[in-house]
Amino acid sequence: MSAEATARELIYLYCVTKKAPRLKYVEKLADKISFVYYQGLYAVVSKVKESEFSAENLRKNLADLEWVKKQAGIHEKIIEGIMKDACVVPFKFGTIFDNEHNLKGCLAENGKEFNDNLDRLRGREEWGVKIYFDAGKLRDFISGESEEILRIDKEIGSSPPGKGYFLKKKKEELLKKELNRKINECGQESFDRLAGKGLDARINKLLPREVTEREDDMILNSAFLIDKNKVKDFKSEVDAIKGQFKEMGLCLDCTGPWPPYNFCKISKEKAKNG
Amino acid sequence: MDDVIAKSKEVTLLEILDRVLNKGVIISGDIVISVADVDLIYLGLKVLLSSVETMERLRGAPIYSPYQEPS
């Protein structure tokens, strides 16, 4: 690759706003952060090197977890900085344009939808709730709560070894069934209660332990769109559920406010055919 | 109340990755990471397919959301 090609720059798009973005919180986070104005919309962008972000190089870098972690952090921090005093439409990691002309073309084509989203999201915040469960603790809780299991336990105590073995197997099966029921019930209950406090809600894919690096398993990965004036109310509900779930070994993680990653609606046809 | 809500500065990397890689508006930029590319990241994290399957079995019926988008 020639030196000239290596030095070529691309445009990385972070978010779009309707209000002139204040760059003072973010200008040190990446190279040449600026905004591109087009018909009432401001696109917050930075220059990135083709040697890092061309389609081919980006794909290579995505396999490098340390690189991804660093870049994802920058992406998030820049959007959060802009969000401090403007409503934003946040883009997915790695949305890149060859030149300003193409970026403006995108703003022209999607302008109405960006504007609609920004109008709809004004005064609202995205909050995330993930619930994890500790299998051991939940088993203990169910064992102490289920009358049927308590009855089998009693029977095991007074049975000969042969019968005891089958009773134990029966108890195991029952426990598993109850565990599954409880997990679904609790996940559903929290989602419904929290969705009731918001304007919109989403359930996302569960992440396995290898990704979460936790000892317990995720049973709910959800996001809520909350009116800024109702955040206190939402948090009280989070606390109430958290308190209620604690003895069952269920742990609730609430984070926010986030850029509205889950609540921007851009018609899929358009995104695909662009 | 604050002790139960993670402050944004203490938010783990997981929370950030889960959003900026999986969510956010997808438009037809000149270069956009595809879903398959993002899967590489999970491979990088040594996710074993079997563990995902186990979770799905354990979970049983999915939680119902009237708002859920088909994945």
Side-chain angles (χ1 to χ4, degrees):
Chain A
M1 195 183 273
S2 72
E4 197 186 318
T6 317
R8 214 170 80 82
E9 288 180 326
L10 300 165
I11 298 174
Y12 188 119
L13 172 62
Y14 299 93
C15 57
V16 165
T17 67
K18 267 173 103 159
K19 193 176 147 192
R22 286 164 76 181
L23 301 175
K24 63 172 182 180
Y25 299 117
V26 301
E27 58 200 359
K28 287 185 183 132
L29 294 170
D31 274 350
K32 300 178 197 167
I33 293 195
S34 63
F35 56 77
V36 173
Y37 176 82
Y38 186 80
Q39 290 185 351
L41 290 171
Y42 299 85
V44 177
V45 299
S46 76
K47 292 280 170 67
V48 290
K49 292 190 193 81
E50 192 176 41
S51 59
E52 242 181 326
F53 284 92
S54 72
E56 188 192 342
N57 294 326
L58 181 57
R59 204 165 298 126
K60 263 185 225 155
N61 279 329
L62 281 174
D64 176 355
L65 188 60
E66 288 313 308
W67 184 88
V68 172
K69 282 180 181 172
K70 189 180 152 225
Q71 297 299 333
I74 292 172
H75 181 104
E76 171 63 21
K77 277 198 199 112
I78 289 176
I79 300 176
E80 273 183 22
I82 298 298
M83 214 174 74
K84 280 183 187 167
D85 52 21
C87 188
V88 302
V89 166
F91 291 92
K92 188 172 157 152
F93 179 79
T95 302
I96 290 159
F97 292 87
D98 231 24
N99 54 57
E100 208 171 297
H101 175 78
N102 294 359
L103 170 61
K104 282 184 176 165
C106 164
L107 292 175
E109 193 178 342
N110 299 288
K112 186 181 181 304
E113 293 194 76
F114 292 161
N115 271 304
D116 289 349
N117 275 287
L118 290 166
D119 289 341
R120 190 172 47 83
L121 294 168
R122 185 166 304 119
R124 296 167 176 189
E125 291 180 348
E126 175 171 328
W127 285 78
V129 171
K130 288 180 166 63
I131 300 179
Y132 301 87
F133 92 105
D134 178 322
K137 267 194 199 162
L138 186 55
R139 279 173 69 103
D140 289 348
F141 177 82
I142 292 167
S143 299
E145 193 199 47
S146 157
E147 279 179 23
E148 206 176 348
I149 289 172
L150 288 171
R151 190 179 51 75
I152 296 176
D153 264 341
K154 228 180 201 175
E155 221 181 322
I156 291 172
S158 59
S159 297
K163 194 183 175 197
Y165 171 79
F166 286 107
L167 283 171
K168 271 182 198 158
K169 267 187 102 171
K170 192 177 161 192
K171 181 187 156 184
E172 251 330 286
E173 271 170 34
L174 211 79
L175 255 176
K176 249 189 221 164
K177 213 176 102 191
E178 278 298 295
L179 197 75
N180 206 4
R181 195 183 60 77
K182 201 87 191 165
I183 288 170
N184 281 301
E185 195 183 278
C186 291
Q188 184 77 62
E189 187 196 329
S190 340
F191 180 77
D192 290 344
R193 281 170 66 179
L194 295 172
K197 298 287 171 193
L199 299 152
D200 205 348
R202 292 274 180 281
I203 289 178
N204 291 323
K205 266 193 221 163
L206 296 176
L207 304 174
R209 271 195 220 180
E210 286 78 0
V211 173
T212 63
E213 292 178 336
R214 289 176 64 116
E215 300 284 307
D216 45 7
D217 288 308
M218 194 183 290
I219 60 163
L220 181 72
N221 185 7
S222 54
F224 303 90
L225 186 66
I226 311 292
D227 191 297
K228 269 183 190 159
N229 301 321
K230 302 276 174 63
V231 168
K232 224 176 179 176
D233 199 21
F234 173 77
K235 285 185 183 179
S236 303
E237 191 71 346
V238 164
D239 281 353
I241 297 170
K242 197 166 175 143
Q244 189 186 323
F245 283 179
K246 203 175 171 188
E247 60 169 347
M248 292 185 238
L250 293 170
C251 169
L252 191 153
D253 262 4
C254 176
T255 57
W258 290 97
Y261 289 112
N262 281 281
F263 299 104
C264 289
K265 292 168 189 159
I266 305 287
S267 70
K268 289 202 170 118
E269 310 290 292
K270 207 162 201 174
K272 224 183 272 166
N273 301 331
Chain B
M1 188 195 291
D2 273 353
D3 60 322
V4 301
I5 310 287
K7 294 186 183 67
S8 64
K9 274 178 197 159
E10 294 153 6
V11 163
T12 63
L13 193 68
L14 164 78
E15 296 283 357
I16 292 175
L17 291 175
D18 189 27
R19 285 178 179 81
V20 312
L21 298 175
N22 295 337
K23 298 286 153 183
V25 172
I26 301 172
I27 46 158
S28 48
D30 295 323
I31 300 165
V32 177
I33 299 174
S34 73
V35 174
D37 288 332
V38 173
D39 282 347
L40 281 175
I41 290 146
Y42 291 127
L43 290 177
L45 286 164
K46 294 190 176 65
V47 172
L48 307 168
L49 273 176
S50 62
S51 72
V52 181
E53 286 164 10
T54 310
M55 258 320 285
E56 274 165 9
R57 269 205 307 278
L58 192 61
R59 259 276 307 276
I63 290 166
Y64 170 72
S65 157
Y67 317 97
Q68 193 162 15
E69 288 171 30
S71 57

